[in-house]
Amino acid sequence: AVSGEPIKGSVYIRRIKGGVLGDGVNSLIAAVFNTFPNTTFSQNNGVIQITGVGSRYIGYFIAVILALLGLFPIVGGIFRSLP
């Protein structure tokens, strides 16, 4: 409701199914690489409400930036040194 997306009907059900499938695939990939599974959380709804931005393309943009930063060891060293 915060993002302006429908909360009833077939579009809503399709989005929920996609989210559950995404979590399942993510957990499967985590199991293959012998690590902990990650899940999505609804805390992002508060960020959407504060900023007014609910576009998934912003998430894709940030993911690309973080992937590129991961190619530089100095960036990883800075994050690792944070308490």
Side-chain angles (χ1 to χ4, degrees):
V2 172
S3 65
E5 294 291 329
I7 56 173
K8 292 181 181 175
S10 63
V11 174
Y12 173 71
I13 297 299
R14 188 180 56 184
R15 290 182 69 226
I16 294 295
K17 285 181 180 180
V20 172
L21 177 64
D23 275 347
V25 170
N26 186 21
S27 296
L28 176 72
I29 292 171
V32 167
F33 289 106
N34 199 24
T35 186
F36 296 108
N38 298 317
T39 59
T40 57
F41 297 101
S42 59
Q43 291 96 323
N44 296 334
N45 291 337
V47 175
I48 292 171
Q49 189 172 16
I50 290 171
T51 63
V53 178
S55 173
R56 68 182 69 196
Y57 296 110
I58 300 299
Y60 295 150
F61 181 72
I62 298 299
V64 168
I65 288 174
L66 291 175
L68 290 175
L69 287 175
L71 297 175
F72 300 102
I74 189 72
V75 176
I78 290 170
F79 281 111
R80 191 173 55 200
S81 68
L82 295 174

